[in-house]
Amino acid sequence: MDALTIPPVDLGLIAPLLVVVTWATGLLLVDTFFIPVGRKKLTGYLAIAGLVVAGLVGLPLWGVSGSTFGGMVRLDPFALTLTWVFLLIGILSITMSLDYLPRQDIEQGEYYPLIMFAVSGMILLAQGADLIVLFLGIETLSITLYILTGFAYPRLTSEEAAMKYLVLGAFAAGFFVYGIALIFGATGSTRLSEIGAYAADRDLGDTNLTLLLGGAAMVLIAFSFKAALAPFHMWIPDVYQGSPTPVAAFMSVGTKGGALAALVRLLFEALPTLNAYWLPVLAGLTALTMVVGNLGAIAQMDVKRMLAYSSIGHAGYVMLGVMVAGEQRGPEAFIFYILVYALSNLGAFAVLIALEHQGEEAWQLDDFAGLYQRQPLLAVAMAIFMFSLAGVPPTAGFMAKFYALTAAWEGGLPWLALVGVLTSAIAAFFYLRVIIRMFMTEPEGEPAPELNRGLTIDIVVAAAGTIIIGLIPAPIFALVERSAVALGG
Amino acid sequence: MELILFLITALIAIVGAVAMLVSRNAVHSALFLLLNFAAIAVLFLLLQAPFLFTIQLTVYAGAIMVLFLFVVMLLGAEKVEDTPDRIAWQQPLALLLGLALLVVSVVVGLGGATNPPPESEALIQFSDPRTLGALLFTDYLLPFEVTGFILLIAVIGVVVLNQRGRKI
C-alpha cells in the first residue's frame, strides 16, 4: 500500500494548547505518585504554573497568523488574545479553589488538572476552524464540567446539578452532531471556510442551501444552550446553585467565552452570506436573553442564583458583539466584554466563597447585611464588582457595556442596543440592592468570615483589574483592536 | 451462492431477534441480541462493507453487549416479574409504528429495486477500512487525538466521582 503522507503539521501554532494539555496529563501522574494526600494544594500551584507557562509560550506567537493540521485549527491574534483571557480565567478559578476545596472537605488532586483540561477545550474552541474540531472542543469543555459540577458528590444539590447538566448537555450535543451531519450532507465539507465558499456560490432557494440552513439552525441551538441564551437557559440557575462555587464561577465565564468565540468563527467564516437568515433569529434570542436574565434576577433572594441569572443577562450583552463581528467593532467588543466580565464575575464569586463556612450556604441577601462593618475590605470589593456588573462608571463594566452597545448601534442593530440600555437600567436595581444591604443595614451578629491567602489574592487582583481597566482602558483597547483586525473578512 | 449465504444469515438474524423478544430471562435476551448482531455483521460483509462488519462486531456485539450484560447482572434483573405495563397505550402504539416502518421499508425496497444503485468502485474504496484508517492518521489527525483526550477525561471523571462516594 502507499505510504501515509501526513499533511504538514506546525505544532508551534497550537503551542499554548499543547502546553496546557501535556502539563495537565503530566500533573495527573505527578499528583497520583508524588503528592501526598493533604498537600494537594501543591497540585493547584503546579496547575497555575502550567497555565502561566502556556501564556508565556503564546507571547512570541503574537502577530502570527496561520492554520495547520490541514486547516483544522487556526491561529490569529483573535484566538491568541482569547487564549490569554481563558488562561487568566483558569488561573483565577484555581486560586479561589485552593482554600475552598479543603474547607468543604472535597479536596482531590484531580480537580486542578480537570480545570486545565477545561481550559484546553476553550482554547480549542477559539482556534478551531472545522466543525468537528469545534464539536470536540465543546465536548472537552462540557465533559470536564459535568465532572466538576458533581465534584461535591455526596452533597445532593451537587449531584442533582451534575445530573441535570449532563442530561441537558448531552441533548444539546446531539443537536450539534445532527447539525454537522446536515451541513456535511449539503456542502460535503466540515471546514468552515469551505462551507462559506460553498454557500457564497449558491442562490437562495437551492435545495442544498436549505439543508445547510437546517443544519446551521441545529448547531446554533447547541451553541445557544452552551452560552445560555434564552430560551435555552433553564438549566443555569439550578446548575450554578448546586455546583461547587469556584466551578460555577468558572462555568459562568468559561463556557460563555469558549462557545461564543466558536460562534463568531462559525457565523463569519461559514455563514456570512446567509446572515439575512440568522441575524433576525439571533437578534431575537439576544433581546429575549437580556430581558429574561435581568428580570429573572430581580426575584432572587439568593445571591448565587442572582449571579446565575445575571450571567444569562450578560450572555446577551456579549452576543451584541458577536452578532456584528463582521465589523471591526464587533470582535473588539466581544473580547473586551469577556475579559471584563470574567474579572468582575470571578471576583463576585470569590466574595461568595469568602462568606461560605464549611458546608454552610451563605448566599442569602441577608448574609450580606452589614458586611461593611464586619469586613470592610470584602464589602468594598463586592461593591466594586456589583458596580462593574451593573455597568456603573468608572468601573470596567461601564466601558464594556458602552463598547458592546456602540458596536451593536453602529453594526445596524440600534433597537437591540436600546433593549440593552433598558435592561441594564433594570439590572442596576438588583446589583445595587446587594450594595445597600452591605453598607446600610446593621450586621446580624454573624462572626467575621476569615479571609485566606488564595481568596485575598483573587479578590484583590479582580478588583484592581476592574478599576484599572475602568480608569485607563487605553492599553486594553489597543490590544483588542489589534486582535480583531485579522478577523475582518 | 451469495443468495444461500444471505438466506441463512437473514434467518439467523430474524430468529435471534424474535427469540430476544420472547425469552423471559434478561440474560438470555441479551445473548440472543448478540446472535442477531453477529448475523447482521455477516450481512454487512455480504454487502461488501468490511469496515461496518468490524465496527458492528467490536462496538455493538463487543462493547455494548458486554455493557448490557454487566448492567443486567449487576442489577440482578435477569428474572422478569410479570408487572402489567404502566403505560397502557404503549403496546398498541409500538405495534402501529412498527407496522408503519415495515410498510415504508417495503415501499422503499420495491422502489429501489426498479432503480438499482450503481455498482460503484469508488464507494467500495471509500468505505475500505484501510482508507478510513489512513484518513484518521492524516486529515483527521487532530480530531483523532483530541478524542483520545476526551476519553481520558471521562475515565478520570469516573474514578474521581467513585472515590468520593466510597470515602464518605
Side-chain angles (χ1 to χ4, degrees):
Chain A
M1 69 176 282
D2 324 329
L4 284 185
T5 42
I6 297 175
V9 168
D10 184 359
L11 289 180
L13 291 180
I14 54 165
L17 179 68
L18 277 181
V19 170
V20 174
V21 170
T22 42
W23 197 294
T25 317
L27 189 57
L28 272 175
L29 295 175
V30 171
D31 174 68
T32 313
F33 292 114
F34 299 112
I35 297 180
V37 181
R39 304 204 49 199
K40 293 296 182 192
K41 242 181 223 184
L42 205 56
T43 318
Y45 293 132
L46 286 174
I48 292 176
L51 294 177
V52 171
V53 169
L56 293 179
V57 163
L59 280 180
L61 293 175
W62 178 249
V64 176
S65 290
S67 52
T68 183
F69 282 104
M72 290 255 173
V73 284
R74 160 131 7 113
L75 182 79
D76 49 22
F78 175 73
L80 190 59
T81 311
L82 279 173
T83 302
W84 282 327
V85 174
F86 294 157
L87 291 171
L88 178 72
I89 293 173
I91 293 171
L92 288 179
S93 305
I94 292 180
T95 329
M96 72 171 86
S97 316
L98 284 174
D99 294 297
Y100 176 87
L101 295 180
R103 199 142 43 102
Q104 299 285 328
D105 199 22
I106 54 172
E107 188 175 48
Q108 271 187 83
E110 289 85 357
Y111 178 91
Y112 306 106
L114 280 175
I115 293 259
M116 292 184 80
F117 278 124
V119 172
S120 75
M122 284 151 65
I123 298 175
L124 199 59
L125 280 172
Q127 291 203 304
D130 185 290
L131 282 175
I132 294 179
V133 174
L134 292 186
F135 175 70
L136 291 175
I138 284 227
E139 284 308 291
T140 313
L141 180 58
S142 303
I143 290 177
T144 323
L145 286 177
Y146 301 148
I147 302 164
L148 289 173
T149 308
F151 211 78
Y153 166 58
R155 224 194 288 158
L156 266 184
T157 48
S158 172
E159 203 176 339
E160 180 198 338
M163 197 63 204
K164 266 187 191 155
Y165 192 27
L166 172 70
V167 172
L168 289 174
F171 197 54
F175 270 96
F176 204 138
V177 176
Y178 273 128
I180 295 179
L182 285 183
I183 293 176
F184 184 74
T187 65
S189 173
T190 54
R191 221 58 108 247
L192 293 184
S193 49
E194 284 171 22
I195 297 169
Y198 183 91
D201 284 351
R202 306 288 135 147
D203 297 322
L204 299 181
D206 190 312
T207 331
N208 277 347
L209 212 56
T210 318
L211 202 60
L212 171 61
L213 277 175
M218 295 188 119
V219 172
L220 285 188
I221 289 176
F223 274 116
S224 309
F225 173 84
K226 294 294 171 195
L229 301 184
F232 306 103
H233 67 284
M234 301 297 182
W235 56 281
I236 289 263
D238 288 345
V239 171
Y240 281 18
Q241 196 184 20
S243 48
T245 313
V247 176
F250 180 79
M251 227 191 307
S252 68
V253 290
T255 34
K256 213 163 275 147
L260 291 181
L263 187 60
V264 169
R265 283 221 197 267
L266 177 71
L267 291 180
F268 290 93
E269 275 183 34
L271 309 167
T273 47
L274 300 174
N275 80 343
Y277 289 95
W278 55 256
L279 193 61
V281 177
L282 282 184
L285 286 184
T286 307
L288 191 65
T289 307
M290 291 190 287
V291 171
V292 167
N294 288 317
L295 287 184
I298 289 181
Q300 303 304 323
M301 284 295 135
D302 180 320
V303 178
K304 206 171 173 187
R305 273 185 96 85
M306 184 204 93
L307 282 177
Y309 274 102
S310 112
S311 92
I312 299 170
H314 281 280
Y317 299 118
V318 183
M319 275 302 290
L320 290 178
V322 170
M323 276 183 300
V324 295
E327 317 272 330
Q328 165 73 10
R329 282 269 177 169
E332 282 175 35
F334 169 68
I335 302 176
F336 192 77
Y337 206 104
I338 288 284
L339 172 65
V340 168
Y341 176 64
L343 284 175
S344 316
N345 210 42
L346 289 175
F349 271 104
V351 173
L352 273 191
I353 294 174
L355 290 177
E356 253 172 80
H357 301 270
Q358 178 171 0
E360 263 180 64
E361 301 168 355
W363 311 323
Q364 292 303 312
L365 259 183
D366 289 335
D367 293 315
F368 283 81
L371 186 66
Y372 179 61
Q373 289 164 37
R374 291 186 276 146
Q375 272 279 1
L377 285 179
L378 205 57
V380 169
M382 187 66 170
I384 292 174
F385 300 136
M386 289 293 118
F387 277 130
S388 180
L389 287 175
V392 177
T395 55
F398 168 73
M399 283 294 163
K401 242 174 209 166
F402 185 72
Y403 218 141
L405 292 171
T406 10
W409 185 278
E410 288 174 2
L413 296 167
W415 66 274
L416 209 55
L418 279 181
V419 176
V421 172
L422 288 178
T423 49
S424 322
I426 299 172
F429 166 72
F430 56 83
Y431 292 122
L432 295 183
R433 189 167 57 183
V434 177
I435 298 178
I436 290 174
R437 279 296 160 101
M438 289 191 304
F439 287 87
M440 300 189 178
T441 48
E442 289 300 311
E444 293 177 358
E446 288 253 335
E450 270 180 37
L451 265 187
N452 37 45
R453 199 152 28 106
L455 273 178
T456 319
I457 296 173
D458 227 67
I459 293 172
V460 167
V461 167
T466 311
I467 288 289
I468 291 173
I469 296 179
L471 289 178
I472 13 177
I476 305 289
F477 280 163
L479 177 73
V480 296
E481 260 167 38
R482 292 182 53 196
S483 313
V485 172
L487 205 67
Chain B
M1 178 60 199
E2 224 177 282
L3 188 68
I4 300 167
L5 258 178
F6 168 76
L7 285 178
I8 295 172
T9 37
L11 197 67
I12 295 176
I14 292 174
V15 168
V18 172
M20 182 206 93
L21 285 176
V22 296
S23 70
R24 323 257 346 131
N25 187 318
V27 176
H28 293 177
S29 277
L31 290 175
F32 278 122
L33 189 57
L34 191 62
L35 181 68
N36 173 268
F37 279 165
I40 287 176
V42 176
L43 286 183
F44 279 133
L45 206 54
L46 284 176
L47 287 172
Q48 295 187 313
F51 183 68
L52 279 180
F53 162 75
T54 45
I55 289 291
Q56 172 80 13
L57 272 190
T58 52
V59 177
Y60 281 90
I64 293 186
M65 279 321 295
V66 170
L67 196 70
F68 267 27
L69 280 175
F70 257 124
V71 172
V72 167
M73 288 176 168
L74 274 180
L75 295 182
E78 53 267 48
K79 287 181 203 82
V80 187
E81 305 110 57
D82 266 322
T83 44
D85 263 338
R86 259 176 298 168
I87 309 167
W89 44 265
Q90 211 173 19
Q91 244 173 9
L93 187 70
L95 261 175
L96 200 70
L97 290 178
L99 270 179
L101 194 64
L102 194 66
V103 170
V104 169
S105 60
V106 165
V107 168
V108 171
L110 289 182
T114 59
N115 190 9
E119 280 286 319
S120 153
E121 220 17 66
L123 211 64
I124 295 170
Q125 267 274 297
F126 186 70
S127 65
D128 182 30
R130 189 184 295 162
T131 323
L132 287 170
L135 270 181
L136 272 188
F137 283 97
T138 54
D139 289 4
Y140 292 89
L141 182 61
L142 182 79
F144 180 66
E145 284 172 4
V146 175
T147 311
F149 271 105
I150 291 182
L151 292 177
L152 172 70
I153 294 169
V155 171
I156 300 168
V158 171
V159 173
V160 165
L161 293 179
N162 271 325
Q163 267 180 358
R164 191 115 276 285
R166 215 180 305 135
K167 209 158 66 181
I168 303 288

